[in-house]
Amino acid sequence: MPDNLSLYIERDSPLQRLNPLTKLAISFSLILIGFLGPGYWLATLLFICVLVPLSIWGKIGPEFLQRTVRLILPLALFLFVMQSLFYPGGRTVLWRFWIFSVKLEGVQFAYLTATRLMNMVGAFLLLLLSTHPSTLMTDLTRRGVSPSLTYILVSTLQIIPQMRNKANTIIDAQRSRGLETQGSVRARIGALLPLVGPLVFGSLVDVEERAIALEARAFKAKRVKTSLIHVPDSVRQRQVRIGLVVLTLVMIGIRLWPL
Amino acid sequence: MAIIAIQNLTYHYPQTTQPALQDLSFQVEEGEFVAVIGANGAGKSTLCYALTGFAPHFFRGEMSGQVLVAGLDTRHTPLEELMLVAGLVFQNPGNQISGAKFTVYEEIAFGLENLGVPPAEMRPRIDRIMALTGITDFANRSPYALSGGQQQRVALASILVMEPKLLVLDEPTSQLDPIGSREVFETIRAMSKQGMTVIMAEHKLEWVATFADRVIALANGEIILNGPPAEVLTSPLLIEHHIGQTRYTTVAKQAQAEQLWPPERALPVVIDEAEAGFRAYKK
Amino acid sequence: MSMRIAIENLHFTYPSGVVALRNVTLAIEAGEQLAIIGQNGSGKTTLIKQLNGLLRPSQGTVRIGDWLTTEHSVAKMAARVGYVFQNPDDQLFKGTVRDEVRFGPGNLGFPAEKIELLVQQALTLLELTDKADVNPYDLTATWRKRVAMAAVLAMDTPIVIFDEPTTGQDYQSVQRLAQIFQTLHEQGKTVIAISHDIDFVAENFSRIVVMGQGQVLLDGPAQTVFAQAEVLNSTDVEPPQLTRLGQRLAIGPVVYTVENFLAALRKENDMQGER
C-alpha cells in the first residue's frame, strides 16, 4: 500500500523543475480556456497540441495518457450513450433502431463535453504528476498562503492511507467479535457503526497527540518560517504566468461580451 | 547549576477534583539522566507535560507552585519558547510524525523551518543528528514506511535537531518491540553521554537500572522516592505502590531470607550485581 | 466436542507477494497455555490470524475442532475463537463499558439471561464492575485495554487469543493478567498469546513456540526452549532475566521463574555443603 496519496512521478525533466505556480497557472488557464473558449475543436486541440507535448517534455507521457484515459473513458461512454439518445431538441437523426434514435446534436454535445472534461482532467493530472505536493506547498507558503492550510492539505494526503490501514484492522477486530460484515443490506448497515465508531473515536485520541507533537516542533511559533527546499523561479516564468492570466482574461472577456 | 527546579508543584487537569501532581519539589542538575517510574495514572506523563509547559499551556487546568526550566518560569513563558529549551518525545511513534513532510530528511527539517533557521544552517545540523540517532540510511524514505523503532528515532531526531537543553521522554519504548526498544534506549544513552540532560518516564525497570543516574518514583501524583537507582529500585515501597521490581531484586530478596544472599549486601538491580552477589556467597 | 487446533502444512503468502508462513504444522490441544514469540516479521501475527479465519491458508489446512477455517465466516468462527487485538481503540464504540462487553455475546445469539451472566462474569474478572456505566473513552488506555479483554472474554469461547496483552500495562495490571490467564486455564480454555514480554511468557505459559522467518523454530516447555540460546538469538529473543542470571552462575538446569531459580540455588548449595 502506498504511504501517501501523492501522484507525483519522480523524473528529471524541465517540466518537473518548473516553478509549481507556473504549472498551476498552465493548468488553470488550460481548463478555463477549454471551457470558455470558442470553437468545437478547441478542447481537443488543447489536449493534443499542448497537454500531450507538455507531458512528453516532462517524461511522463505514457503515465499521463494512461491515467487520463482510465479516468475519462467511462465518463465519456456514459455521456455519448445518454446524450446521443436523449439530447433534448435533437432533430438530425443519424441512425435508428427499435424505439431509439441517435441524433447528431446529441453526439456533438457529448463530444464537446467529453473533450472539455478530458482537457480538465488532463490539466490537473499534468500538474499532479509533475509536481511534488511538498514543493507546491512550500512555494505557496512562501507566497503567503497560510501554513495551517497547506499543512491540512499535505497531511491529508498522508493520513488517509494511515486511516485506511486502521479501518482494515477495525473491521478485523469486529468480525472477530462475531460481527457479520457480509450478506444482506441490513447486516451491512448494522455493521457500519462498529466500524466507523472506533475510527472516529480513535482519531479524536490521535488528534490531541498530533497537536502536542506539532507544538513540540514549534509549528505555532510566531516567527518567519524558512524552508529547506529552495523552489526556483525565474523572471521568464513570471512573464509566462502573466501572459497566461491575460490570455485567460481575454477569453473570459470574449465569452461575456461577444464581438 | 540546576537546569530544572520545581517548587511545590500541584496540578489539576480541567474539571477534576483529584490533583494529577501534588506538592512536587525536586531539582535536576545539568547533564543528569533521571528516570521517573510509577504505576499507570501515578502522574508520570503529567510531570513530562509540566516540564515542557504543556501543562498548563496546552491542557489548561490549575497549577500552583513553580517550575523553572533553564531559568524560565514555565507558567509565564510561552510554549514556543519553552520548546527551544525542553524537547518532548512521547509513546506513540506514529502520532509524532508531523504529516507535513514526505521524507525523513524533510521531517527532521520541519522544526527548524518553523524556527526560521536559514536553510544553509539546517543541513549540517540535520546530518549530524541523523548520524547520532542512526537514521542516515532512511533519509529519503517516507517516515510512514518505517518500523515503530525507526519512527521513534525519527521523532527523537526531529526534537534533538532543535537543540533543546533538556530532553523529556514519556515512555518512549512502550509501543515498541525489543529490537526497537533497544535502538531507542541506545540512542538516548548516547545523547546522555554527550552531556544532554534527560528525564525519562519508563516502566522497564531493568533499563532504568542500567541507564539512570537517579530515579524518582511517583504514586498518586506524589514523589515517594528520589535517589540513586540501587536505592530506589530495591525499596519495598515499590511493591506497595504497584511499581514492581526487577526479577534480580525479587530473587535476591527471597534468597536473603533463606541465607542464600549475603545478609549485609545491598540487593541487586542489574544482572552484574546479582551475579556478583550470588557468586560471593557460593564460596 | 474437543476444540483441538490442528494446523497442517500451512503456507501463507500475502497478496503483495511476501511469504509469511512456510510449512507450519502445529497441534494445540484443548486447555493448553501457549505463547508465541519471535521478532517482528517472523510470522506470529499471520499465524494467529489464521486461527479465526481473518487470513486463510494459501496451502495447507487450519482446523478448529471439526471446522475448517476455510468453510466458515470469521463471524461464525468467533463462536469458537476469541481474539483480543493489541490496540483496544480498534474495537471500542459503545457508550458504556457494559454495552461494549455485551456486543460480542449478542452477536453470537445467546439467550438474554446467558448474555447478562457472561457480561457480569467478564466485568468481575477484569475488575470493571464499578466502571460498567462509564464511557470507555473516559477511561485511561490501561483500562480501555481491560474493557477490550472483557468484551472478548464475555463471548465465552473455548479458545482465546491475545495479541501483546502486556503492552502499555503496568506492574499491577500485568499481575492481574496473570491471574486472568490462570482463571481461563482452570475453566479449561485454550489460551494463546503473542508477546514480546519474555519474563511474562516464562512465568505464565506452559508451552512456548518460537517463530522465525515464517517457520516454527522451537516448540516446547520453557525449560527446553530457553536452553536454545542460539536459536533464540537468531529471531532476536533475549531469554528471561533469571534464565540469563542462571546461565551466568551455571546453576543446574535452565531456570526462568523466581521459584525454580531459588530451587536450583538451594540444590546447588546443598551439594556444595555435602562436599
Side-chain angles (χ1 to χ4, degrees), chain B residues 179-198:
Chain B
I179 302 182
S181 300
R182 201 177 312 142
E183 289 168 353
V184 170
F185 277 132
E186 294 298 348
T187 308
I188 296 166
R189 169 132 84 175
M191 290 313 300
S192 167
K193 287 234 166 94
Q194 297 215 339
M196 171 78 78
T197 311
V198 180

Side-chain angles (χ1 to χ4, degrees), chain B residues 4-269:
Chain B
I4 298 173
I6 296 186
Q7 271 298 317
N8 306 108
L9 167 67
T10 297
Y11 176 76
H12 286 81
Y13 282 103
Q15 288 142 22
T16 53
T17 45
Q18 273 297 106
L21 296 174
Q22 203 169 351
D23 201 24
L24 260 52
S25 297
F26 66 90
Q27 297 203 338
V28 175
E29 297 303 314
E30 212 162 337
E32 253 192 302
F33 191 142
V34 178
V36 179
I37 60 173
N40 288 343
K44 298 191 300 294
S45 297
T46 312
L47 179 57
C48 291
Y49 293 140
L51 287 170
T52 44
F54 284 98
H57 291 298
F58 182 86
F59 291 99
R60 309 284 161 204
E62 260 175 65
M63 172 179 159
S64 65
Q66 194 185 43
V67 178
L68 290 179
V69 177
L72 299 173
D73 185 331
T74 59
R75 203 162 10 158
H76 304 296
T77 310
L79 211 43
E80 52 174 284
E81 282 185 37
L82 289 171
M83 290 310 106
L84 295 176
V85 175
L88 174 69
V89 172
F90 49 91
Q91 298 183 20
N92 190 332
N95 284 347
Q96 294 176 82
I97 303 296
S98 72
K101 301 292 171 179
F102 291 81
T103 66
V104 167
Y105 197 91
E106 292 170 32
E107 174 71 18
I108 296 168
F110 183 59
L112 298 180
E113 293 179 331
N114 291 329
L115 292 176
V117 174
E121 209 179 293
M122 284 185 200
R123 295 192 181 268
R125 275 169 79 170
I126 299 171
D127 291 341
R128 193 179 71 84
I129 289 297
M130 295 210 359
L132 207 62
T133 49
I135 54 174
T136 310
D137 292 349
F138 318 135
N140 294 315
R141 288 176 62 187
S142 162
Y144 289 103
L146 304 178
S147 74
Q150 293 164 345
Q151 279 186 342
Q152 194 66 312
R153 280 186 288 156
V154 171
L156 205 56
S158 303
I159 292 297
L160 290 172
V161 78
M162 295 165 76
E163 295 175 355
K165 295 200 172 91
L166 165 73
L167 186 59
V168 180
L169 306 145
D170 185 7
E171 293 189 47
T173 69
S174 78
Q175 307 290 316
L176 307 182
D177 63 18
I179 302 182
S181 300
R182 201 177 312 142
E183 289 168 353
V184 170
F185 277 132
E186 294 298 348
T187 308
I188 296 166
R189 169 132 84 175
M191 290 313 300
S192 167
K193 287 234 166 94
Q194 297 215 339
M196 171 78 78
T197 311
V198 180
I199 311 286
M200 176 172 79
E202 184 55 57
H203 273 306
K204 293 170 185 155
L205 298 183
E206 195 180 3
W207 290 100
V208 168
T210 317
F211 286 168
D213 300 321
R214 185 149 61 102
V215 181
I216 292 176
L218 294 177
N220 305 316
E222 291 178 76
I223 293 180
I224 54 165
L225 293 162
N226 178 359
E231 194 182 299
V232 171
L233 294 175
T234 53
S235 162
L237 281 178
L238 293 195
I239 299 294
E240 197 180 305
H241 289 283
H242 309 300
I243 300 170
Q245 56 192 10
T246 68
R247 264 78 173 176
Y248 309 126
T249 312
T250 316
V251 87
K253 189 161 187 178
Q254 294 197 22
Q256 202 171 35
E258 296 181 35
Q259 278 93 47
L260 293 166
W261 177 266
E264 74 291 353
R265 198 182 177 100
L267 294 172
V269 292

